């Protein structure tokens, strides 16, 4: 018995095959034609349009815009990201039951590669991936749609329940992604590490809420068997991952960098802790057992360097910048105290509660020069404070005055002055080294005067200050300019005289403001070019000039054996012809 008849939006099977061929072709014109056909199908289908067709159309639109070359890399990442996120959400949505099922489990049942789900997570919650990764995700998803949906419809009528259960569908081999095996392994391990960290955070919040309900002190915050197992799992995954990958995952929002919701749950006042250099105690206690286990020379060095780089990329007032600087300060401090002999001696007399608050139990040797370099390369408001801590702990040959100069330069670089918006600073003078030298010179002159000879402000009174006119102020400014130019020209003339020593040129002693004259014009020159002509002048031949120069040098030019002309058959003129040519040339 034939199945129930189903109305479809396409005219025939041939139209379906043609749209499929156009969608997966590399010709943008054919792809646009296929998108027009799908738009017509959507107008006929309404809300009953198959999800796979809509996802395919969205993905093809991304590829067309990418091939056009009119968009930047960041815009394309956002464009690809939205299409990939919609694909994963829409395809897995129909598999959800009354209770929430993890997205990775649903994707596994639908044979969607796990690294695509991890890519979707990065696009939604984490750091945006690179454009190349988005393009690889596009290739994988398009191949999945062709095998799981489009190819199946060639022999059957499209089912409205496609993608809901899939129990009666025949098994198809998993789509092979275009990523390498190494990249797939990296994405898989990163996803597992991220899931383990989320479970660790959830367990710690569970312990915190139990303490709040039982009205117990924070000193009774202790690890459970479940938490110890999670710490061991995170440690194992961190060893399998590269150190930079593990650190980047830890520094994502929601982990070492808290969210606003996490701060509210922990009852941490965000504004009250902005000036504190330490991580708030509840949040510090939450990550203490895990950081204590992960503490090693390689991991801690990578953690500090990555936090310095990330700190330079944040705005000074952001929550991320504050917690990054606090974690750097606490990690450096805890590592140094772990190796301090005084602290080790005192730790024997400490109570168990105080020992639990110790972040590190042993000291690791850090590459202080690299940390100092990373700190200086990423300046921010916290740089002077952190740089001072690095100078205190590092055993370096940097002199004390050099350290003070670096700290002063950092303080000047990161400071933010308060400007009056009503003042136009473009009209203010730009101070140079010469102007500062002039000011020092004036100050030295003023010190030689007797201060009792000059009238004080009280003697002048407010009335004399009000009688100063604009002309007097302009005269003061002109006198300042004249003295400044005199000082500047005196310095330039000294240098120029030394450079022109022994030359026929001389340096003018006149005070000339050359900035007021156009290029090619000298002071006193009129617009008439005839002024450059001389009334009286004398002439001499080239041969006479050579004789004069020979007498001045004390020897004959042609008699020098080093530069004597050598006979050659390729000469155009003989010596006598050359002398006749020179005799005809006249010099003024």
């Amino acid at each position: 018995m034939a199945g129930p008849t189903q109305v479809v939006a396409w005219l025939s099977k041939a139209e379906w095959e043609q749209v499929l061929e156009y969608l997966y072709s590399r010709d943008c014109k054919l792809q646009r034609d296929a998108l027009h056909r799908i738009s017509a199908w959507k107008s006929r289908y309404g809300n009953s349009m198959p999800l796979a067709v809509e996802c395919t159309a969205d993905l093809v639109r991304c590829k067309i815009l990418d091939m056009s070359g009119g968009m930047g890399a960041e815009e394309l990442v956002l464009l690809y990201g939205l299409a990939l996120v919609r694909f994963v959400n829409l395809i897995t949505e129909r598999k959800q039951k009354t209770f929430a099922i993890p997205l990775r489990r649903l994707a596994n049942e639908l044979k969607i590669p796990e690294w695509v789900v991890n890519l979707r997570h990065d696009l939604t919650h984490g750091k945006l991936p690179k454009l190349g990764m988005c393009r690889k995700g596009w290739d994988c998803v398009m191949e999945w749609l062709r095998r799981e949906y489009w190819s199946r419809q060639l022999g059957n009528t499209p089912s409205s329940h496609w993608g809901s259960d899939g129990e009666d569908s025949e098994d198809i081999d998993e789509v092979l992604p275009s990523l390498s095996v190494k990249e797939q392994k990296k994405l898989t391990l990163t996803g597992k590490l991220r899931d383990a960290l989320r479970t660790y955070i959830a367990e710690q919040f569970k312990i915190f809420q139990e303490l709040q309900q039982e009205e117990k002190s924070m000193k009774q915050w202790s690890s459970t068997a479940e938490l110890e197992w999670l710490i061991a799992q995170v440690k194992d995954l961190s060893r399998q991952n590269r150190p930079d990958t593990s650190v980047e995952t830890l520094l994502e929002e929601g982990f070492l960098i808290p969210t606003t919701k996490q701060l509210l749950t922990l009852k941490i006042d965000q504004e009250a802790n902005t000036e504190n250099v330490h991580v708030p105690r509840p949040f510090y206690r939450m990550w203490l057992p895990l950081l204590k286990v992960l503490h090693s020379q390689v991991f801690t060095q990578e953690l500090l360097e990555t936090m310095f780089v990330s700190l330079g990329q944040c705005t000074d007032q952001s929550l991320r910048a504050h917690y990054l600087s606090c974690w750097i300060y606490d990690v450096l401090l805890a590592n140094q105290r772990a190796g301090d002999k005084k602290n080790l001696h005192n730790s024997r007399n400490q109570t168990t509660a105080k020992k639990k608050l110790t972040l590190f139990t042993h000291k690791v040797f850090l590459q202080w020069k690299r940390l100092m370099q990373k700190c200086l390369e990423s300046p921010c408001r916290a740089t002077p404070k952190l740089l001072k801590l690095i100078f205190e702990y590092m055993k370096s040959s940097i002199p004390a005055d050099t350290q003070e100069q670096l700290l002063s330069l950092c303080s000047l670089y990161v400071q933010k002055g308060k400007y009056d918006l009503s003042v136009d600073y473009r009209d203010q003078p730009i101070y140079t080294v010469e102007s500062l030298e002039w000011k020092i010179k004036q100050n030295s002159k003023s010190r030689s005067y007797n201060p009792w000879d000059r009238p004080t402000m009280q003697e002048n009174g407010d009335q004399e200050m009000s009688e100063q006119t604009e002309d007097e102020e302009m005269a003061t400014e002109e006198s300042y300019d004249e003295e400044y130019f005199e000082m500047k020209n005196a310095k330039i003339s000294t240098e120029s005289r030394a450079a022109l020593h022994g030359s026929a040129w001389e340096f003018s002693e006149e005070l000339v403001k050359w900035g007021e004259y156009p290029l090619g014009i000298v002071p006193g020159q009129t617009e008439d070019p005839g002024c450059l002509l001389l009334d009286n002048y004398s002439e001499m031949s080239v041969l006479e000039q050579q004789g004069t120069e020979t007498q001045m040098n004390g020897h004959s030019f042609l008699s020098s054996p080093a530069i004597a002309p050598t006979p050659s058959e390729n000469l155009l003129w003989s010596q006598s012809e050359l002398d006749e040519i020179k005799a005809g040339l006249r010099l003024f």
Side-chain angles (χ1 to χ4, degrees), residues 437-454 483:
E437 290 177 353
W438 177 87
K439 186 175 181 180
I440 294 173
K441 181 179 179 181
Q442 295 300 315
N443 292 337
S444 62
K445 288 182 179 180
S446 62
R447 293 194 188 98
S448 62
Y449 298 148
N450 189 353
W452 299 103
D453 295 340
R454 289 185 288 179
E483 293 181 5

Side-chain angles (χ1 to χ4, degrees), residues 172-352:
I172 298 180
D173 295 336
E174 185 178 357
V175 180
L176 294 176
S178 55
L179 290 174
S180 62
V181 177
K182 185 177 180 180
E183 291 175 336
Q184 293 182 48
K185 183 179 179 181
K186 177 183 176 182
L187 289 174
T188 303
L189 291 175
T190 305
K192 292 181 179 179
L193 177 61
R194 192 179 288 112
D195 291 341
L197 290 173
R198 288 199 193 95
T199 310
Y200 172 84
I201 284 290
E203 183 66 21
Q204 286 284 45
F205 272 107
K206 181 181 177 182
I207 298 174
F208 174 79
Q209 291 173 356
E210 290 177 356
L211 292 176
Q212 293 293 316
Q213 292 175 359
E214 298 176 4
E215 297 182 355
K216 294 183 179 180
S217 174
M218 288 294 171
K219 295 180 180 180
Q220 300 180 3
W221 193 333
S222 59
S223 300
T224 61
E226 179 69 18
L227 191 64
E228 294 292 341
W229 180 83
L230 289 172
I231 292 174
Q233 187 180 11
V234 172
K235 181 180 179 180
D236 183 61
L237 290 172
S238 299
R239 289 179 177 177
Q240 296 180 34
N241 279 288
R242 293 177 53 184
D244 56 345
T245 306
S246 302
V247 168
E248 289 177 0
T249 307
L250 268 174
L251 294 179
E252 292 178 1
E253 185 178 358
F255 298 142
L256 286 182
I257 310 301
T259 61
T260 306
K261 185 178 179 180
Q262 290 177 346
L263 295 179
L264 292 175
T265 305
L266 295 173
K267 299 180 180 180
I268 298 175
D269 189 357
Q270 180 177 345
E271 297 180 358
N273 291 275
T274 53
E275 299 299 330
N276 193 359
V277 296
H278 299 284
V279 180
R281 184 58 61 88
F283 195 70
Y284 179 86
R285 290 290 300 269
M286 181 174 291
W287 287 100
L288 185 145
L290 181 60
L291 292 178
K292 183 181 294 185
V293 171
L294 296 177
H295 181 53
S296 65
Q297 183 176 3
V298 177
F299 179 83
T300 306
Q301 179 76 27
E302 185 68 30
L303 178 63
L304 290 170
E305 291 184 8
T306 307
M307 285 195 292
F308 273 122
V309 174
S310 181
L311 185 60
Q313 299 172 352
C314 302
T315 57
D316 289 339
Q317 302 298 330
S318 65
L319 181 66
R320 181 178 181 85
H322 172 67
Y323 274 87
L324 283 172
S325 60
C326 290
W327 276 120
I328 293 173
Y329 193 91
D330 282 342
V331 169
L332 290 174
L333 187 65
N335 182 68
Q336 188 67 20
R337 287 182 175 178
D340 194 350
K341 295 183 179 180
K342 294 182 180 180
N343 290 328
L344 290 175
H345 177 72
N346 296 332
S347 64
R348 299 174 183 176
N349 301 326
Q350 286 180 349
T351 61
T352 306

Side-chain angles (χ1 to χ4, degrees), residues 511-523:
L511 176 61
V512 179
K513 299 179 181 180
W514 289 102
E516 299 178 359
Y517 297 95
L519 186 64
I521 303 297
V522 296

